[in-house]
Amino acid sequence: MMKIALLAAVVGSAAAFAPSPVAQTSTTALNADFSKEIGAQMPLGFIDPLGLVADADQDEFDRLRWVELKHGRVSMLAVTGYLVTYAGVRFPGAEDIPSGFAALDAIPGMVWAQMIATWSMMEAANQDQYAAPWGTNQNALGDSPAEFKGDFRNGALDFGWDKLSDDSKRRKRSIELNNGRAAQMGILGLMVHEKLGNIDAILPTY
């Protein structure tokens, strides 16, 4: 099930390369040029093998870009978590929990409840609070300062972003996209190799 979900995430991220459509049925889509968007870069450039943005306008492209960005962020956490637990790092009291898929059956029900509660809080916190909940814009905080979908600084967490030039911002966003794409491939590869029984062929044993 996890492999199917990640495969769907990887397929969905193909839209991030955003191709130049050959034939459009929408005037808005006809005028949209995604070839200069962040993510259309070397070595693949501007491709969309599934045609996900063939008839898309800018709003639909931005939505698909956010889907890719979120999948990439989750995958980066997944790769880190897999490698850390594979190396034997555990929270106190969880020393007997195995790594990988075997952990799913070994985790107590109460821990599952705690994890689901943590995921829910993270999901609620990591969003544009000016348009919360989840973009429905049902609050009175005013206009959102977010520069793009996935910008969750909310006027508080900045780390010097506002001082960067436009070129530097574009470069850093490209880096995050590429790291997310690599992580989607990485966690899928780790799970496939574990199921094939040869995970030790690509990771050292401890």
Side-chain angles (χ1 to χ4, degrees):
M1 188 67 181
M2 291 177 64
K3 287 193 289 185
I4 295 175
L6 276 166
L7 182 58
V10 171
V11 171
S13 71
F17 296 100
S20 177
V22 176
Q24 296 88 353
T25 58
S26 164
T27 302
T28 304
L30 182 63
N31 296 327
D33 179 14
F34 303 128
S35 63
K36 303 292 191 299
E37 291 285 348
I38 294 172
Q41 54 199 35
M42 296 299 290
L44 297 179
F46 191 53
I47 65 170
D48 180 18
L50 300 180
L52 296 179
V53 296
D55 297 314
D57 56 14
Q58 188 65 49
D59 288 341
E60 176 63 8
F61 177 88
D62 290 342
R63 186 190 70 80
L64 291 171
R65 168 50 46 79
W66 160 233
V67 169
E68 181 198 18
L69 186 59
K70 185 168 185 176
H71 283 141
R73 290 172 176 175
V74 171
S75 295
M76 286 188 277
L77 290 173
V79 169
T80 302
Y82 192 103
L83 296 179
V84 168
T85 54
Y86 184 86
V89 178
R90 298 289 187 277
F91 285 115
E95 292 83 359
D96 295 332
I97 302 296
S99 62
F101 284 105
L104 299 178
D105 295 327
I107 295 176
M110 184 56 67
V111 176
W112 274 113
Q114 293 171 358
M115 288 196 301
I116 292 173
T118 300
W119 296 335
S120 299
M121 288 188 293
M122 291 172 64
E123 183 70 16
N126 286 281
Q127 60 175 305
D128 186 349
Q129 299 296 337
Y130 289 77
W134 294 282
T136 57
N137 200 25
Q138 295 178 351
N139 58 53
L141 293 178
D143 295 334
S144 171
E147 297 181 12
F148 55 91
K149 288 184 181 295
D151 177 1
F152 296 151
R153 292 174 296 143
N154 291 307
L157 299 175
D158 181 70
F159 301 111
W161 178 262
D162 286 333
K163 297 179 181 179
L164 297 177
S165 65
D166 290 342
D167 288 342
S168 294
K169 289 180 179 181
R170 185 180 180 90
R171 185 177 68 86
K172 288 186 176 294
R173 289 181 62 190
S174 297
I175 290 172
E176 182 183 21
L177 274 175
N178 278 339
N179 287 342
R181 290 167 178 171
Q184 290 177 73
M185 297 293 102
I187 190 60
L188 182 62
L190 288 171
M191 293 193 304
V192 168
H193 278 285
E194 181 180 340
K195 283 300 184 181
L196 290 175
N198 62 352
I199 189 68
D200 57 340
I202 59 174
L203 294 178
T205 56
Y206 289 88

